Amino acid sequence: MTAPLRAALFHRPAELDEALRLLAAHPEAVPVAGGTDLMVAVNYRHTRPAAMLDLTRLAELREWSDEGDAIRIGSGVPYTRIIAELATVLPGLAAAARTVGSPQIRNRGTLGGNLATASPAGDGHPPLLATGADIEIASTAGTRTVPVTAFFTGPKRSVLAPGELITAVTVPKAAGPQQFLKVGTRNAMVIAVCSLAVALDRDARRLGTGIGSAGPTPLTAPDADLIELPWNRPDLFNDALAAEFGRRVAAAARPIDDVRGTAAYRRHALAVCAARALRRVWTAAHGTESTR
Amino acid sequence: MRVEMRVDGEPAAAEIDRPGESLLTTLRDRLGRYGTKNACEQGECGSCTVLLDGDPVCACLVATAQCEGREVKTVVGAVPRPVRDAFIACGAVQCGFCTPGLLVSVADLLARDGDPNDVQIREALAGNLCRCTGYEKIIDAVHAAAELMSDGTPAPTRAHWITTPVVPSAANDATEAAP
Ligand SMILES: Cc1cc2nc3c(=O)[nH]c(=O)nc-3n(C[C@H](O)[C@H](O)[C@H](O)COP(=O)(O)OP(=O)(O)OC[C@H]3O[C@@H](n4cnc5c(N)ncnc54)[C@H](O)[C@@H]3O)c2cc1C
Ligand code: FES
Ligand code: FES
């Protein structure tokens, strides 16, 4: 017979400051938001947290706000709300959120949990990379902001240190069409074989790309972003340009063979997705019919 | 550690002994509420679907201690009568293991949208796996439930269903008034 759990082994702070103090005082406490990553590991005994710290009561983490050029999304806003409330201003992120798991998973899962898990296949990551989002991280020592491009350090590894919580993600508002494409075996409930986000900024004449599930971390494709596009004569856009963009995105990937697919397949699929995504954003931005 | 919540409209308290105990384990093994099924414990199958403060979630992925003061509704308290009747009438239940989770998801869908189309139904039920029915009869049942709930009469156009009289058990009667 095990002894009843002492209340101190499950912390339920009501405010962020309290949460940070508790985390500093109890470094063994594992934060839990939606539980959709953590609880699977707990149920399968891959981890046995000695203590846990509930983030779902922190109102500060469950709100988003309009910051003018950007939306600051609390790390605990579940995907369902990102889809329902932010699809117009952040279409790429909302499209990615729509592909996560199932309604049950989207009702609980959060961007903060997605980032902290730092899976190369996390669907939230490519749109954040494509738009140049910033991650806000807090501890009792203060708050720091890390560009998403500097957040991931390896498979399931990030710059997040013990005692730190992700508090928010600041995502620039869309300045043009955005796309998210995900390759998987089903339309729901799949971990991406590979995924791709593309954001087009019409005024700044800039492309942004984020690649998922095709490298040790989610990746950008800087060389692809610099492809020369006919901004002054949008009708000159053609399939050759789209295909070249696809080649550059595939070249930026660093995939491996695993149970979900081979490296060669991932590169091929990324090239196809990238060409398709570029055609779609270009057509949407310029109202022109591309040749295909 | 004692956790107090409401389950199917009644106060419920559980004494848990590890921080990672799931709501599914607590419901079944401590509160004796076996309506919520356990098949995968990894969020994949949806057989453990319950409403947590009104939203469908996988009970296997919620830590019980997160539920302090929260409202949990299982198949017993979440599902209006016409939804259950439609599942039986349409042959949407075979072995029945997926049924409680599906009923909760369908109840939530119909509460949000009184007349969903097939695509909306498939999306709403994407997190509930059924190994028996092939889903078609489940989709029929959702349409049938929608009709029953809108005007109380079955639609004459739906091919598959047979209107078997449903004999309510005493347990079902107790939950008759569930919203
Ligand atoms: C059936 C199923 C399907 C899924 N499908 C997808 C999918 O299609 N795409 C996808 O990307 N993911 C998917 N996932 C994974 C998961 O849903 C996501 O990664 C989700 O975003 C995790 O968020 P959470 O709030 O549930 O995290 P939790 O499980 O609560 O936490 C995950 C980790 O992050 C830490 N953490 C959480 N919040 C914070 C914070 N604010 N600061 C610091 N650390 C924190 C926790 O300590 C834990 O280590 C799926 C999971 C399941 C079970
Ligand atoms: S038992 Fe919870 S989803 Fe399968
Ligand atoms: S009826 Fe058997 S799993 Fe659905």
Side-chain angles (χ1 to χ4, degrees), chain A residues 2-3 5 10 12 33 39 43-44 49 52 54 57 102 104 107-108 186 189, chain B residues 1 16-17 19-20 40-41 44 49 56 60-61 65-66 68 126-128:
Chain A
T2 39
L5 183 68
F10 198 99
R12 282 186 295 234
M39 288 297 287
N43 291 344
Y44 280 73
M52 286 165 66
D54 186 15
R57 279 158 211 269
S102 62
Q104 291 93 322
N107 282 339
R108 292 289 286 174
R186 209 191 138 192
M189 212 64 127
Chain B
M1 176 186 191
I16 63 171
D17 57 16
C40 75
E41 292 198 278
E44 292 282 347
T49 305
C60 67
L61 301 183
Q66 292 182 295
E68 174 69 32
N128 292 84

PDB file of all heavy atoms in Angstrom, chain A residues 2-3 5 10 12 33 39 43-44 49 52 54 57 102 104 107-108 186 189, chain B residues 1 16-17 19-20 40-41 44 49 56 60-61 65-66 68 126-128:
ATOM      1  N   THR A   2       0.715   2.058  -1.003  1.00  0.00           N
ATOM      2  CA  THR A   2       1.531   3.268  -1.050  1.00  0.00           C
ATOM      3  C   THR A   2       0.901   4.354  -0.198  1.00  0.00           C
ATOM      4  O   THR A   2      -0.307   4.415  -0.041  1.00  0.00           O
ATOM      5  CB  THR A   2       1.670   3.772  -2.492  1.00  0.00           C
ATOM      6  OG1 THR A   2       0.431   3.582  -3.141  1.00  0.00           O
ATOM      7  CG2 THR A   2       2.767   3.045  -3.228  1.00  0.00           C
ATOM      8  N   ALA A   3       1.752   5.198   0.330  1.00  0.00           N
ATOM      9  CA  ALA A   3       1.254   6.289   1.165  1.00  0.00           C
ATOM     10  C   ALA A   3       0.519   7.303   0.304  1.00  0.00           C
ATOM     11  O   ALA A   3       0.862   7.488  -0.853  1.00  0.00           O
ATOM     12  CB  ALA A   3       2.428   6.961   1.872  1.00  0.00           C
ATOM     13  N   LEU A   5      -0.473  10.611  -1.484  1.00  0.00           N
ATOM     14  CA  LEU A   5       0.399  11.634  -2.034  1.00  0.00           C
ATOM     15  C   LEU A   5       0.317  12.906  -1.198  1.00  0.00           C
ATOM     16  O   LEU A   5      -0.756  13.395  -0.895  1.00  0.00           O
ATOM     17  CB  LEU A   5      -0.063  11.928  -3.460  1.00  0.00           C
ATOM     18  CG  LEU A   5       0.723  12.921  -4.272  1.00  0.00           C
ATOM     19  CD1 LEU A   5       2.086  12.361  -4.591  1.00  0.00           C
ATOM     20  CD2 LEU A   5      -0.031  13.221  -5.546  1.00  0.00           C
ATOM     21  N   PHE A  10       2.128  17.749  -6.000  1.00  0.00           N
ATOM     22  CA  PHE A  10       1.447  18.279  -7.184  1.00  0.00           C
ATOM     23  C   PHE A  10       1.125  19.748  -6.926  1.00  0.00           C
ATOM     24  O   PHE A  10       0.231  20.063  -6.141  1.00  0.00           O
ATOM     25  CB  PHE A  10       0.166  17.493  -7.498  1.00  0.00           C
ATOM     26  CG  PHE A  10      -0.301  17.714  -8.909  1.00  0.00           C
ATOM     27  CD1 PHE A  10      -0.021  16.800  -9.914  1.00  0.00           C
ATOM     28  CD2 PHE A  10      -0.990  18.879  -9.252  1.00  0.00           C
ATOM     29  CE1 PHE A  10      -0.426  17.021 -11.221  1.00  0.00           C
ATOM     30  CE2 PHE A  10      -1.394  19.110 -10.556  1.00  0.00           C
ATOM     31  CZ  PHE A  10      -1.117  18.179 -11.549  1.00  0.00           C
ATOM     32  N   ARG A  12      -0.157  23.466  -7.702  1.00  0.00           N
ATOM     33  CA  ARG A  12      -1.195  24.074  -8.542  1.00  0.00           C
ATOM     34  C   ARG A  12      -1.189  25.582  -8.384  1.00  0.00           C
ATOM     35  O   ARG A  12      -2.121  26.163  -7.837  1.00  0.00           O
ATOM     36  CB  ARG A  12      -2.565  23.507  -8.156  1.00  0.00           C
ATOM     37  CG  ARG A  12      -2.804  22.120  -8.728  1.00  0.00           C
ATOM     38  CD  ARG A  12      -4.203  21.670  -8.451  1.00  0.00           C
ATOM     39  NE  ARG A  12      -4.420  21.497  -7.040  1.00  0.00           N
ATOM     40  CZ  ARG A  12      -4.890  20.366  -6.499  1.00  0.00           C
ATOM     41  NH1 ARG A  12      -5.187  19.335  -7.258  1.00  0.00           N
ATOM     42  NH2 ARG A  12      -5.078  20.283  -5.209  1.00  0.00           N
ATOM     43  N   ALA A  33       1.091  20.984 -18.953  1.00  0.00           N
ATOM     44  CA  ALA A  33       0.053  21.857 -19.509  1.00  0.00           C
ATOM     45  C   ALA A  33      -1.076  20.939 -19.984  1.00  0.00           C
ATOM     46  O   ALA A  33      -1.825  20.401 -19.174  1.00  0.00           O
ATOM     47  CB  ALA A  33       0.632  22.724 -20.622  1.00  0.00           C
ATOM     48  N   MET A  39       1.835  13.004 -20.455  1.00  0.00           N
ATOM     49  CA  MET A  39       1.061  11.918 -19.851  1.00  0.00           C
ATOM     50  C   MET A  39       1.236  10.596 -20.603  1.00  0.00           C
ATOM     51  O   MET A  39       1.123   9.527 -20.008  1.00  0.00           O
ATOM     52  CB  MET A  39      -0.411  12.300 -19.730  1.00  0.00           C
ATOM     53  CG  MET A  39      -0.694  13.353 -18.657  1.00  0.00           C
ATOM     54  SD  MET A  39      -0.296  12.795 -16.984  1.00  0.00           S
ATOM     55  CE  MET A  39      -1.634  11.636 -16.690  1.00  0.00           C
ATOM     56  N   ASN A  43       2.147   7.427 -18.565  1.00  0.00           N
ATOM     57  CA  ASN A  43       1.331   6.206 -18.636  1.00  0.00           C
ATOM     58  C   ASN A  43       2.162   4.995 -19.021  1.00  0.00           C
ATOM     59  O   ASN A  43       1.902   3.881 -18.578  1.00  0.00           O
ATOM     60  CB  ASN A  43       0.198   6.373 -19.648  1.00  0.00           C
ATOM     61  CG  ASN A  43      -0.862   7.363 -19.180  1.00  0.00           C
ATOM     62  OD1 ASN A  43      -0.916   7.709 -18.016  1.00  0.00           O
ATOM     63  ND2 ASN A  43      -1.684   7.837 -20.109  1.00  0.00           N
ATOM     64  N   TYR A  44       3.151   5.208 -19.886  1.00  0.00           N
ATOM     65  CA  TYR A  44       3.983   4.100 -20.344  1.00  0.00           C
ATOM     66  C   TYR A  44       5.243   3.923 -19.497  1.00  0.00           C
ATOM     67  O   TYR A  44       6.153   3.213 -19.888  1.00  0.00           O
ATOM     68  CB  TYR A  44       4.315   4.263 -21.833  1.00  0.00           C
ATOM     69  CG  TYR A  44       3.155   3.813 -22.687  1.00  0.00           C
ATOM     70  CD1 TYR A  44       2.003   4.589 -22.786  1.00  0.00           C
ATOM     71  CD2 TYR A  44       3.177   2.579 -23.326  1.00  0.00           C
ATOM     72  CE1 TYR A  44       0.907   4.156 -23.520  1.00  0.00           C
ATOM     73  CE2 TYR A  44       2.093   2.137 -24.062  1.00  0.00           C
ATOM     74  CZ  TYR A  44       0.961   2.936 -24.158  1.00  0.00           C
ATOM     75  OH  TYR A  44      -0.120   2.487 -24.869  1.00  0.00           O
ATOM     76  N   PRO A  49       7.447  11.222 -12.829  1.00  0.00           N
ATOM     77  CA  PRO A  49       7.735  12.479 -12.135  1.00  0.00           C
ATOM     78  C   PRO A  49       7.522  12.330 -10.632  1.00  0.00           C
ATOM     79  O   PRO A  49       6.493  11.807 -10.203  1.00  0.00           O
ATOM     80  CB  PRO A  49       6.730  13.467 -12.731  1.00  0.00           C
ATOM     81  CG  PRO A  49       6.174  12.804 -13.938  1.00  0.00           C
ATOM     82  CD  PRO A  49       6.349  11.335 -13.785  1.00  0.00           C
ATOM     83  N   MET A  52       4.811  17.238  -9.865  1.00  0.00           N
ATOM     84  CA  MET A  52       4.379  17.920 -11.082  1.00  0.00           C
ATOM     85  C   MET A  52       3.871  19.316 -10.736  1.00  0.00           C
ATOM     86  O   MET A  52       3.519  19.597  -9.594  1.00  0.00           O
ATOM     87  CB  MET A  52       3.275  17.106 -11.791  1.00  0.00           C
ATOM     88  CG  MET A  52       3.847  15.860 -12.481  1.00  0.00           C
ATOM     89  SD  MET A  52       2.629  14.611 -12.985  1.00  0.00           S
ATOM     90  CE  MET A  52       1.716  15.450 -14.245  1.00  0.00           C
ATOM     91  N   ASP A  54       1.214  22.124 -12.253  1.00  0.00           N
ATOM     92  CA  ASP A  54       0.132  22.351 -13.213  1.00  0.00           C
ATOM     93  C   ASP A  54       0.188  23.773 -13.764  1.00  0.00           C
ATOM     94  O   ASP A  54       0.217  24.742 -13.001  1.00  0.00           O
ATOM     95  CB  ASP A  54      -1.207  22.115 -12.498  1.00  0.00           C
ATOM     96  CG  ASP A  54      -2.392  22.186 -13.449  1.00  0.00           C
ATOM     97  OD1 ASP A  54      -2.170  22.121 -14.676  1.00  0.00           O
ATOM     98  OD2 ASP A  54      -3.530  22.288 -12.955  1.00  0.00           O
ATOM     99  N   ARG A  57      -3.803  26.430 -14.628  1.00  0.00           N
ATOM    100  CA  ARG A  57      -4.527  27.434 -13.829  1.00  0.00           C
ATOM    101  C   ARG A  57      -3.929  28.823 -13.961  1.00  0.00           C
ATOM    102  O   ARG A  57      -4.370  29.760 -13.291  1.00  0.00           O
ATOM    103  CB  ARG A  57      -4.488  27.024 -12.350  1.00  0.00           C
ATOM    104  CG  ARG A  57      -5.533  25.988 -12.043  1.00  0.00           C
ATOM    105  CD  ARG A  57      -5.199  25.204 -10.804  1.00  0.00           C
ATOM    106  NE  ARG A  57      -5.755  23.884 -10.984  1.00  0.00           N
ATOM    107  CZ  ARG A  57      -6.989  23.559 -10.592  1.00  0.00           C
ATOM    108  NH1 ARG A  57      -7.733  24.393  -9.944  1.00  0.00           N
ATOM    109  NH2 ARG A  57      -7.451  22.354 -10.851  1.00  0.00           N
ATOM    110  N   SER A 102      -6.194  15.154 -32.892  1.00  0.00           N
ATOM    111  CA  SER A 102      -7.650  15.024 -33.022  1.00  0.00           C
ATOM    112  C   SER A 102      -8.280  16.159 -32.220  1.00  0.00           C
ATOM    113  O   SER A 102      -7.574  16.882 -31.520  1.00  0.00           O
ATOM    114  CB  SER A 102      -8.057  13.687 -32.413  1.00  0.00           C
ATOM    115  OG  SER A 102      -7.718  13.692 -31.028  1.00  0.00           O
ATOM    116  N   GLN A 104      -9.791  16.021 -29.457  1.00  0.00           N
ATOM    117  CA  GLN A 104      -9.447  15.827 -28.051  1.00  0.00           C
ATOM    118  C   GLN A 104      -8.040  16.361 -27.754  1.00  0.00           C
ATOM    119  O   GLN A 104      -7.789  16.953 -26.703  1.00  0.00           O
ATOM    120  CB  GLN A 104      -9.501  14.340 -27.668  1.00  0.00           C
ATOM    121  CG  GLN A 104     -10.900  13.726 -27.655  1.00  0.00           C
ATOM    122  CD  GLN A 104     -11.271  13.075 -28.967  1.00  0.00           C
ATOM    123  OE1 GLN A 104     -10.933  13.588 -30.039  1.00  0.00           O
ATOM    124  NE2 GLN A 104     -11.980  11.958 -28.913  1.00  0.00           N
ATOM    125  N   ASN A 107      -7.921  20.212 -28.020  1.00  0.00           N
ATOM    126  CA  ASN A 107      -8.556  20.897 -26.893  1.00  0.00           C
ATOM    127  C   ASN A 107      -7.604  21.057 -25.722  1.00  0.00           C
ATOM    128  O   ASN A 107      -7.811  21.914 -24.863  1.00  0.00           O
ATOM    129  CB  ASN A 107      -9.787  20.123 -26.413  1.00  0.00           C
ATOM    130  CG  ASN A 107     -10.977  20.353 -27.321  1.00  0.00           C
ATOM    131  OD1 ASN A 107     -11.029  21.342 -28.045  1.00  0.00           O
ATOM    132  ND2 ASN A 107     -11.935  19.437 -27.283  1.00  0.00           N
ATOM    133  N   ARG A 108      -6.578  20.224 -25.645  1.00  0.00           N
ATOM    134  CA  ARG A 108      -5.654  20.256 -24.510  1.00  0.00           C
ATOM    135  C   ARG A 108      -4.259  20.739 -24.891  1.00  0.00           C
ATOM    136  O   ARG A 108      -3.608  21.446 -24.131  1.00  0.00           O
ATOM    137  CB  ARG A 108      -5.512  18.845 -23.897  1.00  0.00           C
ATOM    138  CG  ARG A 108      -6.737  18.320 -23.206  1.00  0.00           C
ATOM    139  CD  ARG A 108      -7.034  19.010 -21.901  1.00  0.00           C
ATOM    140  NE  ARG A 108      -6.123  18.632 -20.822  1.00  0.00           N
ATOM    141  CZ  ARG A 108      -6.125  19.204 -19.619  1.00  0.00           C
ATOM    142  NH1 ARG A 108      -6.989  20.156 -19.356  1.00  0.00           N
ATOM    143  NH2 ARG A 108      -5.276  18.836 -18.696  1.00  0.00           N
ATOM    144  N   ARG A 186      -2.598   9.656 -43.019  1.00  0.00           N
ATOM    145  CA  ARG A 186      -4.009   9.880 -42.801  1.00  0.00           C
ATOM    146  C   ARG A 186      -4.220  11.375 -42.638  1.00  0.00           C
ATOM    147  O   ARG A 186      -3.265  12.112 -42.425  1.00  0.00           O
ATOM    148  CB  ARG A 186      -4.367   9.175 -41.484  1.00  0.00           C
ATOM    149  CG  ARG A 186      -5.752   8.666 -41.304  1.00  0.00           C
ATOM    150  CD  ARG A 186      -5.991   8.244 -39.853  1.00  0.00           C
ATOM    151  NE  ARG A 186      -7.319   8.702 -39.463  1.00  0.00           N
ATOM    152  CZ  ARG A 186      -7.775   8.716 -38.218  1.00  0.00           C
ATOM    153  NH1 ARG A 186      -7.024   8.310 -37.232  1.00  0.00           N
ATOM    154  NH2 ARG A 186      -8.983   9.151 -37.961  1.00  0.00           N
ATOM    155  N   MET A 189      -4.496  12.731 -36.831  1.00  0.00           N
ATOM    156  CA  MET A 189      -3.787  11.851 -35.928  1.00  0.00           C
ATOM    157  C   MET A 189      -2.503  11.282 -36.503  1.00  0.00           C
ATOM    158  O   MET A 189      -2.225  10.103 -36.343  1.00  0.00           O
ATOM    159  CB  MET A 189      -4.738  10.689 -35.629  1.00  0.00           C
ATOM    160  CG  MET A 189      -4.599  10.096 -34.285  1.00  0.00           C
ATOM    161  SD  MET A 189      -5.013  11.253 -33.053  1.00  0.00           S
ATOM    162  CE  MET A 189      -6.208  10.308 -32.179  1.00  0.00           C
TER     163      MET A 189
ATOM    164  N   MET B   1      -2.983  12.466  -1.582  1.00  0.00           N
ATOM    165  CA  MET B   1      -3.524  13.787  -1.918  1.00  0.00           C
ATOM    166  C   MET B   1      -4.979  13.638  -2.375  1.00  0.00           C
ATOM    167  O   MET B   1      -5.293  12.763  -3.173  1.00  0.00           O
ATOM    168  CB  MET B   1      -2.694  14.381  -3.067  1.00  0.00           C
ATOM    169  CG  MET B   1      -3.217  15.691  -3.565  1.00  0.00           C
ATOM    170  SD  MET B   1      -2.283  16.184  -5.013  1.00  0.00           S
ATOM    171  CE  MET B   1      -2.840  17.854  -5.182  1.00  0.00           C
ATOM    172  N   ILE B  16      -5.367  10.212  -4.337  1.00  0.00           N
ATOM    173  CA  ILE B  16      -4.398   9.664  -5.301  1.00  0.00           C
ATOM    174  C   ILE B  16      -3.019   9.574  -4.655  1.00  0.00           C
ATOM    175  O   ILE B  16      -2.718  10.308  -3.711  1.00  0.00           O
ATOM    176  CB  ILE B  16      -4.333  10.493  -6.603  1.00  0.00           C
ATOM    177  CG1 ILE B  16      -3.859  11.913  -6.343  1.00  0.00           C
ATOM    178  CG2 ILE B  16      -5.692  10.509  -7.283  1.00  0.00           C
ATOM    179  CD1 ILE B  16      -3.585  12.685  -7.614  1.00  0.00           C
ATOM    180  N   ASP B  17      -2.175   8.664  -5.164  1.00  0.00           N
ATOM    181  CA  ASP B  17      -0.891   8.458  -4.502  1.00  0.00           C
ATOM    182  C   ASP B  17       0.321   8.699  -5.399  1.00  0.00           C
ATOM    183  O   ASP B  17       1.446   8.453  -5.007  1.00  0.00           O
ATOM    184  CB  ASP B  17      -0.827   7.064  -3.864  1.00  0.00           C
ATOM    185  CG  ASP B  17      -1.057   5.965  -4.877  1.00  0.00           C
ATOM    186  OD1 ASP B  17      -0.964   6.248  -6.087  1.00  0.00           O
ATOM    187  OD2 ASP B  17      -1.329   4.819  -4.458  1.00  0.00           O
ATOM    188  N   PRO B  19       1.697  11.711  -8.547  1.00  0.00           N
ATOM    189  CA  PRO B  19       1.262  12.934  -9.213  1.00  0.00           C
ATOM    190  C   PRO B  19       0.787  12.705 -10.649  1.00  0.00           C
ATOM    191  O   PRO B  19      -0.045  13.456 -11.144  1.00  0.00           O
ATOM    192  CB  PRO B  19       2.513  13.824  -9.191  1.00  0.00           C
ATOM    193  CG  PRO B  19       3.654  12.927  -8.880  1.00  0.00           C
ATOM    194  CD  PRO B  19       3.117  11.763  -8.126  1.00  0.00           C
ATOM    195  N   GLY B  20       1.293  11.632 -11.292  1.00  0.00           N
ATOM    196  CA  GLY B  20       0.946  11.416 -12.691  1.00  0.00           C
ATOM    197  C   GLY B  20      -0.280  10.549 -12.906  1.00  0.00           C
ATOM    198  O   GLY B  20      -0.556  10.155 -14.032  1.00  0.00           O
ATOM    199  N   CYS B  40      -5.816   2.479 -24.911  1.00  0.00           N
ATOM    200  CA  CYS B  40      -4.445   2.727 -25.386  1.00  0.00           C
ATOM    201  C   CYS B  40      -3.606   3.550 -24.414  1.00  0.00           C
ATOM    202  O   CYS B  40      -2.394   3.463 -24.419  1.00  0.00           O
ATOM    203  CB  CYS B  40      -4.468   3.410 -26.756  1.00  0.00           C
ATOM    204  SG  CYS B  40      -4.921   5.166 -26.700  1.00  0.00           S
ATOM    205  N   GLU B  41      -4.210   4.363 -23.616  1.00  0.00           N
ATOM    206  CA  GLU B  41      -3.511   5.274 -22.699  1.00  0.00           C
ATOM    207  C   GLU B  41      -2.483   6.151 -23.396  1.00  0.00           C
ATOM    208  O   GLU B  41      -1.507   6.567 -22.798  1.00  0.00           O
ATOM    209  CB  GLU B  41      -2.835   4.488 -21.565  1.00  0.00           C
ATOM    210  CG  GLU B  41      -3.835   3.854 -20.624  1.00  0.00           C
ATOM    211  CD  GLU B  41      -3.208   3.473 -19.302  1.00  0.00           C
ATOM    212  OE1 GLU B  41      -2.594   2.396 -19.248  1.00  0.00           O
ATOM    213  OE2 GLU B  41      -3.328   4.254 -18.337  1.00  0.00           O
ATOM    214  N   GLU B  44      -4.617   8.006 -28.542  1.00  0.00           N
ATOM    215  CA  GLU B  44      -4.823   7.654 -29.942  1.00  0.00           C
ATOM    216  C   GLU B  44      -6.249   7.197 -30.250  1.00  0.00           C
ATOM    217  O   GLU B  44      -6.735   7.387 -31.347  1.00  0.00           O
ATOM    218  CB  GLU B  44      -3.869   6.514 -30.348  1.00  0.00           C
ATOM    219  CG  GLU B  44      -2.407   6.902 -30.392  1.00  0.00           C
ATOM    220  CD  GLU B  44      -2.028   7.674 -31.648  1.00  0.00           C
ATOM    221  OE1 GLU B  44      -2.827   7.712 -32.613  1.00  0.00           O
ATOM    222  OE2 GLU B  44      -0.930   8.259 -31.645  1.00  0.00           O
ATOM    223  N   THR B  49     -12.751   9.213 -23.977  1.00  0.00           N
ATOM    224  CA  THR B  49     -13.193  10.606 -24.109  1.00  0.00           C
ATOM    225  C   THR B  49     -14.235  10.993 -23.052  1.00  0.00           C
ATOM    226  O   THR B  49     -15.232  10.296 -22.868  1.00  0.00           O
ATOM    227  CB  THR B  49     -13.785  10.848 -25.518  1.00  0.00           C
ATOM    228  OG1 THR B  49     -12.809  10.470 -26.481  1.00  0.00           O
ATOM    229  CG2 THR B  49     -14.164  12.308 -25.718  1.00  0.00           C
ATOM    230  N   PRO B  56     -14.375  18.000 -25.023  1.00  0.00           N
ATOM    231  CA  PRO B  56     -13.939  16.605 -25.118  1.00  0.00           C
ATOM    232  C   PRO B  56     -12.420  16.500 -24.989  1.00  0.00           C
ATOM    233  O   PRO B  56     -11.692  17.230 -25.672  1.00  0.00           O
ATOM    234  CB  PRO B  56     -14.372  16.175 -26.529  1.00  0.00           C
ATOM    235  CG  PRO B  56     -15.223  17.261 -27.063  1.00  0.00           C
ATOM    236  CD  PRO B  56     -14.975  18.491 -26.273  1.00  0.00           C
ATOM    237  N   CYS B  60      -7.226   9.775 -20.386  1.00  0.00           N
ATOM    238  CA  CYS B  60      -5.930   9.140 -20.110  1.00  0.00           C
ATOM    239  C   CYS B  60      -4.784  10.145 -20.126  1.00  0.00           C
ATOM    240  O   CYS B  60      -3.702   9.848 -19.641  1.00  0.00           O
ATOM    241  CB  CYS B  60      -5.661   7.993 -21.083  1.00  0.00           C
ATOM    242  SG  CYS B  60      -5.415   8.500 -22.799  1.00  0.00           S
ATOM    243  N   LEU B  61      -5.008  11.331 -20.705  1.00  0.00           N
ATOM    244  CA  LEU B  61      -3.931  12.314 -20.810  1.00  0.00           C
ATOM    245  C   LEU B  61      -4.095  13.490 -19.848  1.00  0.00           C
ATOM    246  O   LEU B  61      -3.326  14.443 -19.882  1.00  0.00           O
ATOM    247  CB  LEU B  61      -3.828  12.843 -22.251  1.00  0.00           C
ATOM    248  CG  LEU B  61      -3.559  11.791 -23.328  1.00  0.00           C
ATOM    249  CD1 LEU B  61      -3.402  12.461 -24.690  1.00  0.00           C
ATOM    250  CD2 LEU B  61      -2.317  10.965 -23.001  1.00  0.00           C
ATOM    251  N   ALA B  65      -4.951  15.311 -10.704  1.00  0.00           N
ATOM    252  CA  ALA B  65      -4.750  16.467  -9.832  1.00  0.00           C
ATOM    253  C   ALA B  65      -4.997  17.791 -10.560  1.00  0.00           C
ATOM    254  O   ALA B  65      -5.171  18.823  -9.921  1.00  0.00           O
ATOM    255  CB  ALA B  65      -3.340  16.441  -9.233  1.00  0.00           C
ATOM    256  N   GLN B  66      -5.005  17.749 -11.894  1.00  0.00           N
ATOM    257  CA  GLN B  66      -5.358  18.961 -12.653  1.00  0.00           C
ATOM    258  C   GLN B  66      -6.863  19.234 -12.591  1.00  0.00           C
ATOM    259  O   GLN B  66      -7.311  20.287 -13.015  1.00  0.00           O
ATOM    260  CB  GLN B  66      -4.955  18.822 -14.133  1.00  0.00           C
ATOM    261  CG  GLN B  66      -3.450  18.802 -14.385  1.00  0.00           C
ATOM    262  CD  GLN B  66      -3.125  18.716 -15.876  1.00  0.00           C
ATOM    263  OE1 GLN B  66      -3.424  17.720 -16.521  1.00  0.00           O
ATOM    264  NE2 GLN B  66      -2.518  19.755 -16.419  1.00  0.00           N
ATOM    265  N   GLU B  68      -8.909  19.315  -9.944  1.00  0.00           N
ATOM    266  CA  GLU B  68      -9.452  19.879  -8.712  1.00  0.00           C
ATOM    267  C   GLU B  68     -10.454  20.994  -9.047  1.00  0.00           C
ATOM    268  O   GLU B  68     -10.120  21.942  -9.758  1.00  0.00           O
ATOM    269  CB  GLU B  68      -8.302  20.432  -7.855  1.00  0.00           C
ATOM    270  CG  GLU B  68      -8.729  21.173  -6.592  1.00  0.00           C
ATOM    271  CD  GLU B  68      -9.337  20.258  -5.526  1.00  0.00           C
ATOM    272  OE1 GLU B  68      -8.922  19.102  -5.436  1.00  0.00           O
ATOM    273  OE2 GLU B  68     -10.244  20.738  -4.801  1.00  0.00           O
ATOM    274  N   ALA B 126     -12.540  12.188 -35.628  1.00  0.00           N
ATOM    275  CA  ALA B 126     -11.236  11.671 -36.078  1.00  0.00           C
ATOM    276  C   ALA B 126     -10.423  11.084 -34.929  1.00  0.00           C
ATOM    277  O   ALA B 126      -9.547  10.257 -35.148  1.00  0.00           O
ATOM    278  CB  ALA B 126     -10.445  12.779 -36.766  1.00  0.00           C
ATOM    279  N   GLY B 127     -10.712  11.497 -33.717  1.00  0.00           N
ATOM    280  CA  GLY B 127      -9.956  10.993 -32.578  1.00  0.00           C
ATOM    281  C   GLY B 127     -10.609   9.821 -31.874  1.00  0.00           C
ATOM    282  O   GLY B 127     -10.213   9.463 -30.767  1.00  0.00           O
ATOM    283  N   ASN B 128     -11.628   9.225 -32.502  1.00  0.00           N
ATOM    284  CA  ASN B 128     -12.296   8.056 -31.919  1.00  0.00           C
ATOM    285  C   ASN B 128     -12.187   6.893 -32.891  1.00  0.00           C
ATOM    286  O   ASN B 128     -12.809   6.909 -33.951  1.00  0.00           O
ATOM    287  CB  ASN B 128     -13.773   8.364 -31.660  1.00  0.00           C
ATOM    288  CG  ASN B 128     -13.968   9.390 -30.562  1.00  0.00           C
ATOM    289  OD1 ASN B 128     -13.906  10.597 -30.808  1.00  0.00           O
ATOM    290  ND2 ASN B 128     -14.171   8.924 -29.341  1.00  0.00           N
TER     291      ASN B 128
END
